[in-house]
Amino acid sequence: MTEGVQHRRVETGGRYDVFHTDCLARDVVDHVTSRWGVWVLISLRRNDLRFYELRESIQGISEKMLAQTLRALVDDGLVWRKVEPTTPPQVTYGLTEFGRDVGEPLTELFDRITSRLSALDTA
């Protein structure tokens, strides 16, 4: 494991009751579908990005909201975080395998929407 990279182990194979308020799966869905969670996952779909690059790629997000969203997605095991011990520290984020699995249908949805809107613009 790379030093400075934070990973969270996600248990698999268990059954989840998504309608129960204490369900871990429900929490993950809430974080992924939050106002900014989708955009973070889509922004990281092709490249690992540093904090400021993410902030610039997601117009309208504040530093505070980006930090909160990233913290939740790291805690859920969807995003990894690597801190380089430089001055100032360089913090890079990327998708875990779980994050890529969850982000793939979101990316497909985004691509379908943008292609459909593009077709409407040319009609």
Side-chain angles (χ1 to χ4, degrees):
M1 213 179 262
T2 307
E3 186 175 322
V5 176
Q6 298 174 355
H7 294 277
R8 180 171 176 239
R9 183 176 169 88
V10 177
E11 297 296 325
T12 58
R15 298 191 63 141
Y16 296 97
D17 179 3
V18 295
F19 297 104
H20 192 277
T21 58
D22 292 335
C23 179
L24 177 61
R26 185 174 177 165
D27 290 339
V28 173
V29 169
D30 286 346
H31 296 149
V32 168
T33 60
S34 70
R35 180 171 182 189
W36 301 110
V38 170
W39 302 116
V40 169
L41 293 176
I42 289 173
S43 293
L44 292 172
R45 67 184 168 178
R46 291 196 178 100
N47 295 315
D48 303 338
L49 297 172
R50 292 180 53 195
F51 185 88
Y52 79 91
E53 293 171 322
L54 268 170
R55 189 185 69 228
E56 289 178 4
S57 72
I58 306 170
Q59 294 184 6
I61 192 169
S62 68
E63 285 189 26
K64 177 183 176 182
M65 287 310 303
L66 178 57
Q68 288 177 357
T69 302
L70 286 167
R71 192 174 306 116
L73 295 174
V74 168
D75 287 346
D76 291 338
L78 296 163
V79 172
W80 56 259
R81 178 180 187 262
K82 180 179 178 186
V83 180
E84 295 289 336
T86 59
T87 305
Q90 293 182 358
V91 183
T92 305
Y93 296 89
L95 294 178
T96 64
E97 183 178 338
F98 182 36
R100 284 189 297 277
D101 287 346
V102 170
E104 187 175 324
L106 297 174
T107 298
E108 290 174 13
L109 175 64
F110 176 77
D111 290 343
R112 286 181 185 190
I113 291 170
T114 55
S115 67
R116 179 62 70 134
L117 290 175
S118 294
L120 292 174
D121 285 343
T122 59

